[in-house]
Amino acid sequence: NAGVTQTPKFQVLKTGQSMTLQCAQDMNHNSMYWYRQDPGMGLRLIYYSASEGTTDKGEVPNGYNVSRLNKREFSLRLESAAPSQTSVYFCASSEALRNFFGQGTRLTVV
Amino acid sequence: GENVEQHPSTLSVQEGDSAVIKCTYSDSASNYFPWYKQELGKRPQLIIDIRSNVGEKKDQRIAVTLNKTAKHFSLHITETQPEDSAVYFCAASRNLADSWGKFQFGAGTQVVVTP
């Protein structure tokens, strides 16, 4: 039982490049989330998926897209990376609102 | 939308003393209030949570209190130990259909426990 698994752990992108962050959970949770964490700002919700087949915007969705591929997987895509997207990204799944986080992806855009 | 403010931003305590972190929220419809602990370079982990139908909840050395009238909730850590050193985040959410699972997090409190 791995919980929530994110890949990659680290990534460096050039401005304008695209990439997809992968997230999978094996806890059979319906809800999944993507957050970004910046120094002094806590965790901010980018997108979430209340159940398979649905997605909705969070607090900071601009510049991102998501796909809920199936119940297990929820991916985050940066179509054209910008330096402002340098951050640590966390995926989470939840049961009864209790979030379980992945190990995070540290993304640097240069 | 919801706004959560967390104080203090840093907290230094002597081992064995108590630590208290306070959060205030703006949305009176919020009804779920978790606390997460994040050690350096690690993922946030849920340590305790409270729902709006109770005023206090304890789990060993940690406790959370909720005052819905004043719209604030607090984390209390007693008999602090060096392994309590971490960043602690509060959050608030309401589980209504139009905002299910939309958490607003506080900015975090860096707790340092010195031996």
Side-chain angles (χ1 to χ4, degrees):
Chain A
N1 191 340
V4 181
T5 303
Q6 286 181 239
T7 55
K9 290 185 179 180
F10 302 95
Q11 183 72 50
V12 178
L13 289 179
K14 294 182 178 179
T15 298
Q17 287 185 317
S18 63
M19 78 162 295
T20 299
L21 281 64
Q22 307 287 351
C23 176
Q25 53 96 5
D26 62 2
M27 295 177 283
N28 202 36
H29 290 164
N30 286 318
S31 301
M32 297 185 74
Y33 309 81
W34 277 104
Y35 296 92
R36 60 178 289 172
Q37 184 174 35
D38 302 294
M41 300 188 73
L43 291 150
R44 292 185 291 168
L45 182 64
I46 304 171
Y47 271 93
Y48 72 104
S49 172
S51 62
E52 184 180 355
T54 68
T55 61
D56 204 352
K57 295 178 181 179
E59 182 184 354
V60 288
N62 292 344
Y64 306 95
N65 284 299
V66 291
S67 295
R68 184 73 184 266
L69 304 170
N70 47 54
K71 190 170 186 179
R72 291 185 63 250
E73 299 172 288
F74 187 39
S75 63
L76 178 72
R77 183 161 178 84
L78 287 71
E79 291 290 351
S80 179
S84 61
Q85 295 177 304
T86 293
S87 187
V88 179
Y89 291 84
F90 286 99
C91 175
S93 68
S94 76
E95 180 177 23
L97 294 177
R98 289 175 169 150
N99 275 210
F100 296 86
F101 287 88
Q103 74 270 41
T105 297
R106 185 172 294 277
L107 175 67
T108 302
V109 183
V110 297
Chain B
E2 175 67 277
N3 183 47
V4 175
E5 294 191 0
Q6 183 173 345
H7 299 281
S9 57
T10 59
L11 181 59
S12 293
V13 295
Q14 288 287 120
E15 182 177 358
D17 288 349
S18 295
V20 181
I21 305 169
K22 183 176 177 179
C23 288
T24 59
Y25 61 98
S26 60
D27 186 352
S28 57
S30 290
N31 56 10
Y32 174 68
F33 308 93
W35 285 90
Y36 289 86
K37 175 183 180 182
Q38 186 178 29
E39 296 175 354
L40 187 63
K42 301 287 183 64
R43 70 190 78 189
Q45 291 192 302
L46 179 71
I47 55 171
I48 195 167
D49 56 6
I50 192 168
R51 299 180 193 263
S52 61
N53 56 344
V54 296
E56 183 176 3
K57 183 177 179 180
K58 288 184 180 179
D59 183 3
Q60 299 182 335
R61 295 187 297 107
I62 61 173
V64 56
T65 58
L66 172 64
N67 184 326
K68 287 218 73 180
T69 302
K71 291 191 283 189
H72 67 72
F73 56 110
S74 300
L75 178 71
H76 304 254
I77 307 173
T78 58
E79 300 174 25
T80 53
Q81 300 169 5
E83 53 263 37
D84 294 328
S85 296
V87 178
Y88 292 81
F89 294 97
C90 64
S93 174
R94 51 177 174 160
N95 58 348
L96 299 177
D98 64 340
S99 59
W100 199 94
K102 279 190 177 179
F103 286 91
Q104 186 70 37
F105 281 80
T109 297
Q110 174 75 62
V111 173
V112 177
V113 180
T114 54

